[in-house]
Amino acid sequence: MDKGFLTDTIHAKAPFDVTHFRSTIPRFTPENRKINTVLVDLLPSNHHPMALTRLLAQKAWILPITAMTKFDQLEKNLGTIYVSLTPNERHPL
């Protein structure tokens, strides 16, 4: 789902030049961006760090690879190593 939606890079009114790679992907049509933006808005504001935290809590050998291009993204991602999760939070439902 992500490709920019979860990092707030992509939103319903994000313009795409016809040469941009997302302009050829169906999920990025103007209609689908509106729908996907509504779905992303339903997520809690801490959804990305929590997803990373849950991955890190699974097994010691699981290493998520994140795509970061900005220092604040690195800081946010590094902060996830200090979060403790209950067993329920690690494996909900």
Side-chain angles (χ1 to χ4, degrees):
M1 158 88 187
D2 187 22
K3 298 290 186 210
F5 282 105
L6 299 179
T7 57
D8 297 324
T9 307
I10 303 300
H11 50 79
K13 295 180 179 156
F16 291 130
D17 184 272
V18 292
T19 60
H20 192 284
F21 80 94
R22 287 183 179 105
S23 68
T24 62
I25 301 172
R27 86 174 80 153
F28 295 109
T29 64
E31 309 81 48
N32 287 338
R33 278 188 281 148
K34 286 178 190 172
I35 294 166
N36 288 327
T37 300
V38 169
L39 294 174
V40 170
D41 288 345
L42 294 174
L43 296 171
S45 62
N46 64 347
H47 60 274
H48 180 43
M50 287 308 296
L52 185 56
T53 300
R54 284 191 60 223
L55 281 172
L56 290 169
Q58 300 302 308
K59 303 278 184 201
W61 48 265
I62 293 178
L63 179 64
I65 299 173
T66 62
M68 296 171 285
T69 58
K70 296 180 178 63
F71 187 73
D72 66 317
Q73 294 168 331
L74 174 64
E75 285 181 316
K76 189 183 294 186
N77 287 343
L78 287 175
T80 64
I81 63 174
Y82 301 107
V83 177
S84 297
L85 299 176
T86 67
N88 241 9
E89 290 170 325
R90 273 186 241 134
H91 303 282
L93 303 174

